[in-house]
Amino acid sequence: DCEMYAPIGPLLTRQLPEVVDFVRMYSYDGSQQVNVGDKAFYEEQIYFADPSVFSIFSYKILHGSAGTALNNPFEVAITKSKAIKYFGRTDVTGESIEITKNLFKIVAVLDDVPANTHLKFGFLISHVTLEKLRNYNEAEYQGNNEFTYLLMDERADVATFNKKLEKISLDLKDQIGHDRLLAEPITDIHLHSTKSFEPEPPGSAQSVYFLMVIAAFLIVIAWINYINLSTPPAVDRARQVGIRKLMGSVRA
């Protein structure tokens, strides 16, 4: 499972020196009704996120401040395309937007996330809002529903880090049962992740390698065909040059 228990991110940041910071992103399951005035749509890409989402990831903030966004309950950051969709403009910080009958204050407008990210969103709600909307306590191991990202020291080694996570998993046996913590580089998620409940279905490295072999095979065939097609004219031309050198010829 790629999702994690809520207390794990803060726990690892406190206990392991190689963990610099963490961010949790909790999916607002299913379609949620979003309203602004007489505009109402059902949206799916909605997440609750810690404020550190703006310091760990390189999302470009068009309006608002990364230092103060998502610190308080019922705050939301939206993407540029969502701002235009609901307001017809991008500078909408301070405006209100209704999500599933709850009113949120827009504190930041972000540039649209790139198409090659594995976690796409249109709305980021402050993580502290979860306790206001649900029976949720971030200090308890109630369920593993958080996508948890760790900002690591540049000298950290994944294999060594996973050995530490294995020990922590055993220490937390009373809270997480037989589950085991396992980290993977974010660059490996798209092609190499085998975990369930990814934000979107990952690709397959095996398929990519197979297509690369086919491409290399086609290039070799094309090269052989080129040689086969270019050799006869070259041989014929060499024969003509040889005859002219032997017999002599005039321009006519």
Side-chain angles (χ1 to χ4, degrees):
D1 191 340
C2 65
E3 295 174 306
M4 187 53 58
Y5 297 93
I8 294 298
L11 175 70
L12 297 180
T13 305
R14 291 193 305 267
Q15 292 191 359
L16 302 179
E18 60 264 48
V19 181
V20 178
D21 203 354
F22 72 93
V23 58
R24 296 163 300 186
M25 301 184 74
Y26 185 110
S27 175
Y28 210 149
D29 298 328
S31 297
Q32 307 298 325
Q33 185 172 336
V34 179
N35 299 73
V36 174
D38 59 350
K39 293 182 179 180
F41 299 92
Y42 281 95
E43 303 281 359
E44 293 188 349
Q45 297 175 337
I46 304 176
Y47 289 87
F48 297 89
D50 290 304
S52 53
V53 67
F54 300 121
S55 59
I56 290 180
F57 295 115
S58 57
Y59 299 127
K60 182 180 180 181
I61 297 181
L62 304 178
H63 304 284
S65 171
T68 58
L70 304 186
N71 286 319
N72 303 306
F74 296 100
E75 291 184 343
V76 63
I78 67 176
T79 59
K80 177 177 68 175
S81 60
K82 299 301 181 183
I84 294 174
K85 179 179 180 179
Y86 287 94
F87 296 93
R89 53 192 173 88
T90 60
D91 187 5
V92 295
T93 53
E95 299 282 354
S96 296
I97 188 169
E98 186 178 298
I99 303 176
T100 315
K101 299 181 180 180
N102 292 290
L103 202 61
F104 292 83
K105 179 183 177 182
I106 300 175
V107 292
V109 178
L110 316 177
D111 201 359
D112 291 338
V113 296
N116 62 344
T117 180
H118 78 286
L119 194 150
K120 300 177 176 64
F121 62 83
F123 303 83
L124 290 180
I125 299 173
S126 54
H127 197 274
V128 293
T129 309
L130 273 170
E131 295 184 356
K132 306 294 183 180
L133 298 181
R134 301 182 176 184
N135 181 23
Y136 177 91
N137 186 340
E138 67 174 18
E140 296 181 358
Y141 292 82
Q142 297 172 321
N144 55 338
N145 301 309
E146 313 264 355
F147 295 109
T148 302
Y149 300 89
L150 304 176
L151 179 63
M152 306 294 291
D153 184 277
E154 61 182 11
R155 295 166 294 182
D157 176 70
V158 175
T160 303
F161 182 64
N162 276 328
K163 290 181 180 178
K164 294 183 179 182
L165 292 183
E166 185 175 353
K167 181 181 182 302
I168 291 176
S169 300
L170 296 175
D171 295 339
L172 295 174
K173 185 177 180 180
D174 292 342
Q175 286 81 19
I176 67 175
H178 296 290
D179 290 344
R180 293 294 178 266
L181 308 182
L182 182 68
E184 64 180 344
I186 195 170
T187 52
D188 289 353
I189 293 176
H190 179 60
L191 291 180
H192 300 282
S193 177
T194 57
K195 297 179 180 179
S196 56
F197 300 105
E198 288 284 4
E200 62 181 31
S204 170
Q206 187 176 7
S207 298
V208 173
Y209 298 147
F210 180 70
L211 292 174
M212 289 174 63
V213 171
I214 293 177
F217 183 65
L218 291 175
I219 291 174
V220 170
I221 291 177
W223 174 67
I224 293 174
N225 286 339
Y226 174 78
I227 296 297
N228 289 339
L229 291 173
S230 61
T231 299
V235 172
D236 185 57
R237 177 62 179 170
R239 184 182 300 113
Q240 294 179 21
V241 171
I243 292 174
R244 290 177 179 179
K245 285 183 177 181
L246 179 64
M247 304 297 294
S249 64
V250 295
R251 183 177 296 276

